[in-house]
Amino acid sequence: MLSRLIIRNYALIEDLDISFSKGLNILTGETGAGKSIILGALSLLLGNRAESRYFYNQQKKCVIEGCFKIQGYDLAEFFTAHELDYESETLLRREISAEGKSRAFINDTPVTLNVLKTLGELLIDIHSQHASFEINDEAFQILVIDLLAANQALLKTYQKEFKNYKEVNSRLEFVKKESLRAKSELDYLQYQFDEFEKANLLVNEQENLEVELKALVHAEEIKRHLLLASNFLDDADQSVIAKLKESYSQVQQAEKYLSVGETLSERLKSTLIELKDIVSEIETLEEGTIVNEARSVEVNARLSIIYGLQKKHQVNSVAELLAIQELLSDKINSISNTEEEIANLENQVNELHNQVVEISETLSASRNEIIPYIEQKVQEGLGHVGMPNSVLKIQNILLDEDKFNYLGRNKVQFLFSANKGQNPAPMSKVASGGELSRLMLTIKSLLSRHIALPSIIFDEIDSGISGEVALQVGNVIENLSESMQVIAITHLPQIASKGESHYWVYKDDQTDITHTNIRKLNQDERVIEIAKMLSGENPGEAALQHAQELLN
């Protein structure tokens, strides 16, 4: 239940601190005093959109806090799922800056607005005359049936399987589309891959061929230079090796007289050996260098193939071409494997479809079973709010196996008749706003016996009723407050007199700026307030006596 509500800097409210009691809490006050402002602030706390232009002081932030006693409502799982500390007295807070930035907290832990809203929906149900029109919404009608049929676990199982079915079916449709698209380009992919296969590219092939071609193009020049180098070193009488041999011989003669002679002799000997080895390599290179026009043409042709592929695929190396070849191979194999994936997905879709259909039939049967009970109890409840001749009929049609959605395979419609001899018809066509409001009150009263909801707020649902009917509506609300906290904003004395706690909302003009305030009335003040509701600002003795009788 909502035990305390703090509102700072919102609309006409500068600073308000309200403590509510369990049972039935009544809020009354003149039109425009600010009752709906308090409800608007509470709506902000429950996650509704905020606009800073409605702040009391445009330079300050708006803060709404609500303290809720939640013990016994099985909400611990919610806190665990969202990694929040569970407290039997839980604090919700919403802060909106002057710039419009919003922050939300649960037990002083920052949370997203969506988390705050989700928890709020588990704590408070706000019911206004405008909200009565949601009874025409099929999703709400199915929700009512499922809550009363205790279908929550079954519906959760159905929705899990339905979600799996939709995901796998979406994957199947995607794969089919991709398969069609891929097949349309398969021939081109295969043609490109065959080009690579025919080219039979090798790693480092381009570099090796370019080096070989350079040698082939300059073969004659290479041979000439190598022959000259060989001759200079060894073939002529004045060759380097001949001169080195002579030098070596002379040093050998002198080494017996020099301490370093032996070292010099060894170094000359090593140099001589190295030069002979160099000459041998030059001669081998010269002999291996041949003028081969045929090979030159062959290498050129091979390089032309490589250059052509590089230009076509806009790359600069054989390594990149080989990567493209591998990618083409993967794409072709993927297309080939798609048929197998499609077959597997089709099997999964069929299996999940059968499961969804089976659970939806069980769900539909459970709904059919509870419908007579709902019709009977609603008709009894309508009799208690001055509509004894009203009838609610619920149509529940099981649709074809391919017509299911997130809520099942049922087409549900609430049909209503407020008068004798009138056939039930869609409520949007035959029910007035006041009738819808009382019908919704009856349904929520019935729901309260089956679900644990801490609090419900009724915002002027008494529009269009008076006298004995208002008294009966008050009785229903009073009975409802026996199992949950009820906060009722009302203009009717018959309903106001039923409250355990009565709060008066008023405008305070004592300062330069008008602001909304609220205070809890004592018993004597309640008599006066209800008398005013009966007869006007200055109630007479009869009105005061009537008010006392209502309170008694």
Side-chain angles (χ1 to χ4, degrees), residues 269-286:
K269 183 179 178 180
S270 297
T271 303
L272 185 59
I273 293 171
E274 178 67 18
L275 279 175
K276 285 181 178 180
D277 188 57
I278 290 172
V279 169
S280 177
E281 284 193 28
I282 291 174
E283 290 173 347
T284 300
L285 282 172
E286 188 274 331

Side-chain angles (χ1 to χ4, degrees), residues 327-343:
L327 182 62
L328 288 169
S329 177
D330 290 342
K331 284 184 176 181
I332 291 169
N333 290 333
S334 176
I335 295 171
S336 302
N337 295 332
T338 298
E339 293 302 323
E340 182 179 350
E341 184 180 4
I342 288 174

Side-chain angles (χ1 to χ4, degrees), residues 513-528:
I513 303 175
T514 299
H515 61 272
T516 289
N517 213 332
I518 188 173
R519 67 184 179 87
K520 188 175 181 179
L521 302 179
N522 60 34
Q523 188 66 15
D524 291 338
E525 291 171 330
R526 288 192 70 189
V527 172
I528 295 172

Side-chain angles (χ1 to χ4, degrees), residues 415-430:
L415 304 176
F416 179 72
S417 169
N419 305 299
K420 283 184 178 181
Q422 183 183 50
N423 291 325
M427 290 176 294
S428 60
K429 297 180 179 180
V430 297

Side-chain angles (χ1 to χ4, degrees), residues 357-389:
V357 167
E358 183 179 348
I359 300 173
S360 69
E361 289 175 351
T362 304
L363 192 58
S364 180
S366 177
R367 289 166 176 169
N368 282 331
E369 189 174 345
I370 197 66
I371 283 174
Y373 170 82
I374 298 173
E375 292 173 340
Q376 176 191 345
K377 291 300 179 182
V378 168
Q379 186 165 0
E380 291 175 2
L382 288 171
H384 296 153
V385 292
M387 299 170 65
N389 298 317

